[in-house]
């Protein structure tokens, strides 16, 4: 989708910046509809932060890099 494509460079930059503290992964919700339903993904892109295999927060929509960093910082990731 267009929002996912526009968010891709921000996602890649964040993955480089925050690895190994945060593992970034993408899910193709069309190819993995049951997994998307399991996690309640209703809009894309949806970012879900897991800690110790449990969801701790989520945000929907393509975030600019500063907002993504701020969101991660609010979760204790810097």
């Amino acid at each position: 989708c267009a929002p996912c494509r526009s968010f891709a460079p921000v996602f890649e930059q964040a993955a480089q910046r925050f690895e190994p503290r945060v593992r970034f992964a993408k899910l193709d919700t069309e190819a993995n509809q049951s997994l998307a339903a399991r996690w309640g993904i209703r809009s894309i892109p949806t970012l879900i932060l897991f800690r110790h295999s449990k969801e701790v927060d989520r945000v929907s929509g393509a975030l600019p890099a500063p907002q993504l960093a701020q969101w991660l910082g609010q979760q204790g990731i810097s």
Side-chain angles (χ1 to χ4, degrees):
C1 70
C4 295
R5 284 191 298 275
S6 70
F7 183 61
V10 173
F11 185 88
E12 295 298 326
Q13 291 170 352
Q16 291 176 1
R17 177 179 172 189
F18 292 100
E19 287 273 356
R21 297 179 307 271
V22 177
R23 175 68 42 98
F24 286 76
K26 297 178 185 180
L27 173 69
D28 182 341
T29 57
E30 289 183 16
N32 298 284
Q33 293 180 5
S34 62
L35 191 55
R38 176 181 171 196
W39 289 107
I41 297 171
R42 293 182 180 84
S43 63
I44 51 176
T46 293
L47 304 173
I48 304 174
L49 181 63
F50 294 92
R51 186 172 289 129
H52 305 292
S53 302
K54 297 196 187 295
E55 181 178 337
V56 294
D57 199 17
R58 75 169 52 206
V59 65
S60 295
L63 300 176
Q67 284 183 317
L68 176 57
Q70 180 182 16
W71 178 65
L72 291 171
Q74 290 169 345
Q75 305 308 316
I77 300 164
S78 56

